[in-house]
Amino acid sequence: MTTSAIDADAQARIKELVCDVLELEEDEVSNDSLFKEDHGADSLRAIEILAGLEKEFKITIDQTELERMVNLDGVYAVVGEAIAAGA
């Protein structure tokens, strides 16, 4: 895992937030399941996830990062980089 800025607690918070936005149970979402293809998420949901992450972690994520945030692994990487950049 290359997301050294993200600890298990942060990963759990991210997964909970993503599942809340996608209206899914946590056991329905794996680290590599695709939000759009596997879970029917639309672009509005992606924006909600991004906004929620910014609020939760007090970071700024450029909307161009949305193309990488297609699954939990991608979200962990983007949030980890944003936290590291802000540190």
Side-chain angles (χ1 to χ4, degrees), residues 3-79:
T3 52
S4 57
I6 297 284
D7 60 18
D9 177 60
Q11 286 187 7
R13 286 164 51 202
I14 290 168
K15 185 170 185 173
E16 184 179 346
L17 187 148
V18 167
C19 290
D20 282 350
V21 170
L22 299 181
E23 298 176 3
L24 296 168
E25 297 298 321
E26 292 196 25
D27 61 2
E28 293 180 82
V29 180
S30 67
N31 285 1
D32 58 0
S33 63
L34 300 172
F35 300 152
K36 181 178 179 184
E37 290 80 353
D38 296 329
H39 304 300
D42 58 18
S43 56
L44 183 62
R45 300 271 187 186
I47 300 286
E48 283 183 58
I49 291 169
L50 186 145
L53 293 168
E54 289 184 329
K55 185 175 179 185
E56 175 76 21
F57 292 96
K58 297 177 177 44
I59 54 175
T60 301
I61 300 171
D62 194 282
Q63 287 202 3
T64 58
E65 296 290 3
L66 284 171
E67 64 191 42
R68 292 175 56 209
M69 296 169 60
V70 295
N71 58 23
L72 282 174
D73 282 338
V75 174
Y76 295 154
V78 169
V79 172

